[in-house]
């Protein structure tokens, strides 16, 4: 067991944690998306510790977190103009780009791929830490693999106490879902994961982006995909989840007809009054996608401490920031979706 310190988000903590990272340790870092589990991304031994602490399959690659867009060229080659444009518009921010990797990036960071994912997080204390450490910080979400991602220090404490050296507590994450991942290493830009930056914003800068079939939930267990991590069941609470898509008034009615004792319900604020007898968690108002994103993981986690045996969720419309929320809900449900 390692003693896990919880530090406030300030320069002194950034300095202490930069030392820990330089020495091969693991530190949970706040970002605007979710909390990350960081290690020196150039140090194979340190990176291996991430996989162990999370129980993460080793064919699931990690994202390198950079302090600044200028650092792209240190770790990536053949960087296309589209990547430079996107970095200019959206970094620091919730956008990850997959680019051709330079040899300096170890294979355990990229899960053996010849590409590497890079991002510059919009969080001052974390960018300070990265620049003080002087190395890119490899970081997946700081949860046990398969569990909902952590959007507060308390979630990280739940999963990682005793396994990592420190957590920097910067309060709740302002975006609440992981970054949008765009693969720019092939012929056409390809969306690998919807996330905190709406696809529509990206297309406004670089034109049409192809949606990978993993985004749509069409990948089979034994299939080889561009990002191996995309095939795993993710974000799941202990009770099985069913996602109901359609107009809110229709999904609300369907859920009312199909809920019973010990049903957990995820619904919009406007519909909460309909489910008096159930354990209800509210996503926010129908139109408030920012709130849906900030709440989704907290909600999925919250059912684990209750007597709920099944969960039914009212699904937002698949557009803008809500596309990320829809994707996380469907993954939590293992793509058990009912269309009404
Ligand atoms: P997370 O699982 O939240 O840590 O985010 C990491 C995800 O980024 C992985 O599961 C992959 O889907 C994606 N990713 C990271 N590196 C690459 C890469 N080189 N090529 C494609 N996808 C990647
Ligand atoms: Mg994750």
């Amino acid at each position: 067991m390692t003693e896990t310190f919880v530090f406030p988000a300030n320069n002194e903590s950034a300095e202490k944690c930069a030392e820990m990272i330089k020495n091969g340790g693991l530190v949970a870092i706040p970002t605007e998306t979710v909390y990350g589990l960081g290690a020196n991304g150039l140090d194979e031994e340190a990176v291996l510790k991430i996989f162990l602490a999370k129980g993460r399959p080793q064919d699931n690659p990690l994202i390198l977190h950079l302090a600044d867009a200028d650092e792209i060229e240190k770790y990536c080659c053949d960087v296309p103009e589209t990547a430079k444009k996107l970095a200019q518009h959206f970094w620091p921010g919730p956008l990850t780009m997959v680019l051709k990797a330079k040899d300096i990036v170890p294979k355990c960071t990229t899960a053996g791929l010849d590409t590497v994912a890079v991002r510059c997080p919009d969080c001052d204390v974390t960018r300070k830490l990265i620049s003080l450490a002087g190395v890119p910080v490899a970081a997946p979400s700081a949860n046990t693999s398969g569990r909902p991602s952590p959007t507060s220090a308390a979630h990280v404490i739940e999963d990682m106490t005793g396994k990592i050296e420190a957590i920097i507590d910067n309060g709740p994450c302002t975006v609440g879902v992981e970054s949008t991942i765009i693969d720019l290493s092939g012929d056409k830009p390809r969306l690998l994961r919807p996330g905190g930056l709406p696809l529509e914003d990206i297309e406004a800068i670089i034109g049409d982006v192809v949606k990978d079939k993993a985004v749509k939930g069409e990948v089979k267990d034994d299939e080889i995909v561009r990002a191996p991590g995309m095939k795993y069941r993710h974000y799941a609470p202990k009770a099985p989840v069913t996602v109901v898509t359609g107009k809110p008034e229709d999904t609300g009615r369907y859920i009312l007809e199909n809920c019973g004792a010990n049903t957990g319900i995820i619904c919009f604020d406007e519909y909460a009054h309909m489910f008096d007898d159930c354990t209800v968690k509210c996503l926010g108002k129908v139109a408030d996608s920012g709130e849906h994103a900030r709440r989704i993981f907290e909600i999925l986690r919250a059912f684990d401490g209750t007597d709920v045996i099944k969960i039914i969720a009212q699904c937002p419309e698949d557009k803008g920031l809500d596309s990320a929320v829809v994707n996380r809900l469907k993954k939590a449900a293992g793509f058990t979706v009912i269309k009404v």
Side-chain angles (χ1 to χ4, degrees):
M1 278 279 275
T2 314
E3 185 181 359
T4 304
F5 297 98
V6 180
F7 294 135
N10 57 32
N11 282 345
E12 194 188 330
S13 306
E15 279 165 30
K16 281 190 208 152
C17 292
E19 277 309 305
M20 292 172 174
I21 295 276
K22 277 201 270 189
N23 292 328
L26 295 184
V27 174
I29 51 171
T31 80
E32 78 282 31
T33 59
V34 304
Y35 277 73
L37 182 55
N40 176 354
L42 303 181
D43 175 345
E44 297 222 17
E45 241 174 85
V47 168
L48 268 177
K49 290 184 195 164
I50 295 178
F51 288 94
L52 285 176
K54 275 184 67 86
R56 178 176 173 111
Q58 281 194 26
D59 65 352
N60 192 354
L62 306 176
I63 295 170
L64 281 186
H65 290 70
L66 313 178
D68 202 280
D70 297 343
E71 294 178 9
I72 292 182
E73 310 269 355
K74 286 195 206 164
Y75 311 109
C76 306
C77 48
D78 305 336
V79 179
E81 271 313 303
T82 45
K84 292 176 190 162
K85 262 195 201 165
L86 289 177
Q88 217 171 36
H89 273 89
F90 300 117
W91 278 8
L95 170 70
T96 294
M97 299 190 285
V98 172
L99 299 166
K100 297 220 169 83
K102 284 196 169 162
D103 288 343
I104 182 177
V105 183
K107 287 291 179 203
C108 62
T109 296
T110 66
L113 299 170
D114 55 8
T115 53
V116 63
V118 289
R119 162 167 129 81
C120 179
D122 188 10
C123 177
D124 290 344
V125 69
T126 289
R127 284 215 313 285
K128 177 97 190 169
L129 181 165
I130 299 169
S131 86
L132 288 171
V135 292
V137 172
S141 48
N143 53 300
T144 301
S145 202
R147 287 206 79 198
S149 299
T151 51
S152 71
H155 298 161
V156 182
I157 290 167
E158 243 174 64
D159 283 14
M160 291 297 150
T161 299
K163 297 182 175 174
I164 65 177
E165 290 186 37
I167 299 167
I168 299 182
D169 183 352
N170 191 39
C173 298
T174 52
V175 173
V177 289
E178 297 88 343
S179 57
T180 302
I181 305 181
I182 297 282
D183 184 354
L184 296 171
S185 68
D187 299 344
K188 290 186 187 149
R190 179 179 288 267
L191 176 72
L192 300 184
R193 174 174 78 186
L197 180 67
L199 181 62
E200 294 86 337
D201 295 9
I202 295 170
E203 289 185 321
I205 307 295
I206 61 166
D208 284 352
V209 172
V210 178
K211 278 190 194 169
D212 198 276
K213 64 180 181 176
V215 174
K216 301 178 219 154
E218 293 164 1
V219 177
K220 299 189 188 72
D221 272 357
D222 55 356
E223 202 166 325
I224 295 171
V225 294
R226 293 172 85 88
M230 299 191 299
K231 73 187 179 200
Y232 296 106
R233 183 161 182 246
H234 250 93
Y235 316 121
K238 294 187 178 121
V241 181
T242 302
V243 174
V244 189
T245 65
K247 290 203 191 93
E249 52 275 27
D250 297 335
T251 54
R253 196 177 325 111
Y254 176 90
I255 293 173
L256 186 62
E257 285 161 6
N258 289 276
C259 64
N262 300 337
T263 304
I265 290 172
I266 301 174
C267 67
F268 302 116
D269 292 3
E270 292 91 332
Y271 292 81
H273 67 275
M274 290 168 62
F275 312 111
D276 272 352
D277 301 336
C278 305
T279 304
V280 177
K281 307 279 177 203
C282 291
L283 267 177
K285 294 216 164 70
V286 173
D288 193 349
S289 58
E291 199 58 25
H292 306 163
R294 279 187 293 277
R295 287 194 199 173
I296 185 63
F297 285 129
E298 166 87 39
I299 288 174
L300 288 171
R301 250 172 207 265
F303 284 114
D304 280 355
T306 69
D307 56 4
V308 156
I309 53 169
K310 67 169 183 175
I311 298 167
I312 311 186
Q314 210 172 11
C315 194
E317 200 183 333
D318 194 351
K319 64 170 194 197
L321 181 57
D322 270 334
S323 290
V325 177
V326 172
N327 172 268
R328 304 310 184 271
L329 266 174
K330 288 185 178 173
K331 282 195 142 194
F335 290 94
T336 305
V337 179
I338 291 173
K339 218 168 162 181
V340 295

